[in-house]
Amino acid sequence: MLFYPTAMTAVVTHPRFSAFDRLRGLIMIIMAIDHASFFIARVHFYEAWSTSPTEPVTLTRFITHLCAPGFFLLMGASMVWLGKARQTAGWDHARIRWFFIKRGLVLLLVQQFIENIAWLTGQLTAAPDTGSHLPQPGGGSDPFVVLLVISALAASMIFWSFLIELPSIVIAAVSGVAMAATWYFMPPASEAARLFPYWRLVLFTPSHHNFLQVVYSWVPWIAPSGLGIILGRIVYKKPAKTAAIALAGGVVLVASHFILGHSAYGAFYKYPPTPAFLTITLGIDLLLLAALTVDRIPFAGRLEVFGRSPLFFYLLHLYVFAALSPLFRHGASYPVMYAVWFGAVVAMYPLVAAYGRFKASKPVESMWRLF
């Protein structure tokens, strides 16, 4: 069966939109904690293949680990729903595919020419003795092309735009192959100083090689976005069972994490994401999704506001923290960092809400809607 079947009677109901928008908004706000840690507390951990998998993960860092996998999961589901909505409006498959490709290309440009400036500001305003300059694998000359999470989201969107019409079992198989290939190319920590070929950095092994630094290699993140495509299809057909579907999936993934912990795949790395990392983070994300399907949740409407303009909030909060970073050259305590984070999120809410209204007034093909 093709991804965009001509005979589809199921409808996407408002509760489905609310739950997923709430989850997206929640993880956006949680993500801001991690970035406040970088800009304000001047502490940022790096759970990469080049570090020991037994190093402890703080609670602050762990809760923010839910964000990146959640972004990819939600992006995959959104591709399904957006594609179906555009087909209903009369778009053919080629036009839908080009729409995704165009969005992906714009995201790549946004990351290099808008996002990276904020991160560079944070680095330049930090005192030399702070934790912002943690050692990373690779080496060589200073990088000027840095691939972060938005670039991996863009690559996943472009990749799946060509395969999204395939059956779910094929989507699952491709996702599994992506994880297997990532594990195959996972180097030992003893090779932390090695300068890998550029293609390997971009595709599999986060590292630094002269002008290029890759934090989010592209292939491993195909897996959570592929899972999102499958989730999006299931929810589209059975929207009334969103909570049950998310709860069941979350329980299975969390249980799988503890099973993997006693195997050769139990290493807890984010760069690149290992099976143990993805199962626990995606599992908790799905459990949160199930909880967020409840109609009456405190601040649910505000979560939806953040969830409907994720890229705008993402870029805005980076520049807000970057602007504040000169005040914290030597870092700050966690209580101070959390206070700054909370105040910044509250202050940004009206701007995010205003942008949401602005982009809703634009045509469906407008690039303003991408933000």
Side-chain angles (χ1 to χ4, degrees), residues 184-240:
Y184 175 80
F185 282 102
M186 184 85 72
S190 60
E191 297 187 4
R194 179 180 171 187
L195 301 184
F196 292 102
Y198 295 120
W199 66 266
R200 184 166 171 178
L201 269 63
V202 172
L203 295 180
F204 299 105
T205 308
S207 189
H208 168 209
H209 184 170
N210 293 330
F211 77 92
L212 177 64
Q213 180 174 349
V214 179
V215 180
Y216 284 79
S217 296
W218 292 351
V219 170
W221 294 100
I222 287 173
S225 51
L227 179 62
I229 291 173
I230 297 171
L231 175 66
R233 291 177 175 180
I234 296 173
V235 169
Y236 186 85
K237 293 178 180 179
K238 300 179 180 180

Side-chain angles (χ1 to χ4, degrees), residues 34 36-45 130-132 134 331-332 334:
D34 190 50
S37 182
F38 175 86
F39 287 99
I40 308 302
R42 302 295 187 178
V43 175
H44 199 256
F45 298 97
T130 62
S132 295
L134 297 178
Y334 268 28

Side-chain angles (χ1 to χ4, degrees), residues 83-134:
K84 291 182 182 296
R86 295 295 178 266
Q87 185 196 32
T88 301
W91 292 22
D92 59 21
H93 297 178
R95 187 178 179 185
I96 295 171
R97 182 179 299 112
W98 172 239
F99 179 78
F100 287 135
I101 294 172
K102 183 168 61 175
R103 293 187 78 173
L105 294 175
V106 171
L107 283 174
L108 288 172
L109 294 175
V110 165
Q111 201 248 283
Q112 291 303 314
F113 296 103
I114 301 179
E115 177 190 359
N116 284 358
I117 297 173
W119 290 112
L120 179 60
T121 302
Q123 291 178 330
L124 294 177
T125 57
D129 59 343
T130 62
S132 295
H133 307 286
L134 297 178

